[in-house]
Amino acid sequence: MSRTSSPFALFRDWTVSPLFVSRVISSTSVGMGHIALAWGVMGMGYGARELSLVVACNAFPALLILGGGVLGDRFRRHHVLIGAELLACTAWLALGATFFMEKAPLALLCSLAGVGGVATAVFLPTVRGIIADLLASTKRPAGNALINQTESAGHLIGFVTSGAVVTLVGPAWAAGARGALCGISAMILTRLATHHPGRATANPLRDLWRGWRAFKSRPWVWLITLHYTAITTAMVCYMKIAGPLYTADGHGGAWAWGIIGAAQPLGALAGAAVGARWRPARLLYITVLLPASVSLPMFLMGGGAHWQAIAVAAVVPGALQATYYVFWTTALQANIPSAVLVRVNSWNMVTSYVLMPVTVLFSGPLVANFGPQAIVSAAALTALGATALTLLALRLLPDVEAATDVSSLRKTSSVLA
């Protein structure tokens, strides 16, 4: 086994290692932001409906994710990431300052959350494509695994520390830390060097259309995209609204929710390594099955379980979703031309993120009327039903495995040290 195929060897490659260091730092900030936003809004006396509105404003700019895909294919990809991190830095530092107020106007909170959402919409499709710029095809499974592992390590640190920070000194400091870490991440990303894309068309809408054509011409891509949209909708209801309200209502508070949130990235640290090494014969079917595991902690919460049991159960979907990420991202990189890769990724992600604000807007009133346990149980059933329908649809597609370059993925070397 060659040293160059190990994720740890990639840390010694200075052409790519700043990306992984940045992902640890930036993902730590994301973990802190989840809890800071929820408890910052609730700490001002706002309830489920107002919380859902602020979170929806944070998610609503996902409508711009297609624009982020165009940017990622028109400009140097590390420059796009730097710009997104600086925008997030500004938004979260402002939110941190706002949370020091006794009660800020809801419109101000929504506006600042929206600016942070714009940064996310630009960042996400580009970070999924940048590995194709930095690594040869045989090293990409290792690179994708390491991105997931570094993100998971950051989320783990962020969720655990933010729970403590929010409990001890308040959400304002956690939100401020989120902004500061994004600024540090932006500085580290300046150490990368990505190639300048070929000459783009003068019309960004034409670029967007070309990305759509590449996306829709592969049925297996849009079918699994629709499946993961349903999974994401269930997860948003659980993570953004029902979960925080469940723990805040006598089930452990911010500290407990921080531990539950940290359990998923803890599992992902192992899951990404498994995804980089395991090459199942029916890769797409396994890829579809893995995200359904999110229903496990949801069902426990729906049954009124103690937060400690929910946290233990959350390790399982954390591991399996990380394996899913490596399978799916590597499959796209192996089958989609680099010139349109970020745009295809943006089409792959947009349906999930477009529905996110709608989901959180409806989740707040539903949780207020029926309680978090009933709503999270319904979300779990949605995830399982979507998985069953997708597996059935894949079986009806002709030669679905032949449509993907699965054989090339099996030939890549093991990435475990």
Side-chain angles (χ1 to χ4, degrees), residues 18-364:
L19 174 64
F20 304 122
V21 176
S22 165
R23 295 312 301 133
V24 173
I25 294 171
S26 183
S27 298
T28 297
S29 79
V30 172
M32 300 193 78
H34 279 304
I35 297 178
L37 186 61
W39 262 261
V41 172
M42 290 189 290
M44 291 181 172
Y46 293 117
R49 290 178 174 83
E50 292 84 4
L51 174 60
S52 67
L53 182 60
V54 174
V55 175
C57 289
N58 182 244
F60 186 76
L63 293 169
L64 303 174
I65 205 166
L66 295 175
V70 172
L71 290 174
D73 282 334
R74 290 175 71 94
F75 301 100
R76 295 183 189 272
R77 287 170 181 164
H78 74 292
H79 287 173
V80 176
L81 296 183
I82 290 168
E85 289 283 43
L86 290 175
L87 185 60
C89 171
T90 303
W92 281 94
L93 287 176
L95 272 170
T98 303
F99 288 152
F100 278 113
M101 301 168 62
E102 184 175 342
K103 189 161 186 176
L106 193 61
L108 176 61
L109 296 174
C110 289
S111 299
L112 293 176
V115 174
V118 172
T120 301
V122 173
F123 189 92
L124 286 177
T126 305
V127 78
R128 286 195 178 188
I130 197 170
I131 282 292
D133 281 356
L134 299 173
L135 293 174
S137 59
T138 55
K139 295 182 180 180
R140 288 175 191 167
N144 292 325
L146 192 53
I147 277 190
N148 193 277
Q149 288 175 313
T150 51
E151 288 178 349
S152 298
H155 289 150
L156 176 61
I157 297 167
F159 272 112
V160 171
T161 57
S162 64
V165 170
V166 168
T167 300
L168 296 175
V169 297
W173 289 102
R178 162 94 159 97
L181 290 172
C182 287
I184 295 171
S185 173
M187 289 190 291
I188 293 172
L189 288 170
T190 62
R191 307 296 299 175
L192 292 175
T194 55
H195 69 269
H196 196 286
R199 184 177 179 182
T201 67
N203 187 347
L205 292 178
R206 184 173 297 174
D207 286 345
L208 192 61
W209 173 250
R210 289 177 177 174
W212 165 252
R213 288 175 58 189
F215 173 80
K216 77 180 182 67
S217 65
R218 295 165 173 85
W220 58 275
V221 175
W222 53 259
L223 184 59
I224 296 179
T225 294
L226 291 175
H227 167 251
Y228 202 72
T229 297
I231 296 290
T232 303
T233 300
M235 281 293 292
V236 166
C237 178
Y238 163 59
M239 291 293 294
K240 300 286 188 180
I241 304 296
L245 290 169
Y246 177 83
T247 53
D249 187 24
H251 293 276
W255 173 253
W257 187 239
I259 297 298
I260 293 171
Q264 291 200 36
L266 177 64
L269 290 173
V274 172
R277 184 169 188 171
W278 182 28
R279 295 290 172 263
R282 301 177 71 82
L283 184 140
L284 288 186
Y285 293 100
I286 297 298
T287 300
V288 170
L289 277 172
L290 294 173
S293 58
V294 300
S295 60
L296 178 58
M298 294 185 196
F299 278 130
L300 286 176
M301 183 176 288
H306 292 295
W307 69 263
Q308 295 92 334
I310 299 170
V312 171
V315 174
V316 177
L320 297 185
Q321 291 233 61
T323 305
Y324 165 89
Y325 175 87
V326 177
F327 284 176
W328 183 237
T329 307
T330 307
L332 289 177
Q333 292 167 356
N335 290 276
I336 307 297
S338 179
V340 294
L341 179 59
V342 174
R343 277 169 285 172
V344 170
N345 268 308
S346 69
W347 282 109
N348 169 235
M349 301 168 71
V350 70
T351 52
S352 299
Y353 284 90
V354 164
L355 287 180
M356 191 178 294
V358 178
T359 302
V360 294
L361 277 174
F362 279 98
S363 295

Side-chain angles (χ1 to χ4, degrees), residues 222-224 285 386-398 400:
W222 53 259
L223 184 59
I224 296 179
Y285 293 100
T387 300
L389 289 174
T390 304
L391 289 172
L392 177 61
L394 278 177
R395 290 184 61 86
L396 298 177
L397 286 179
V400 65

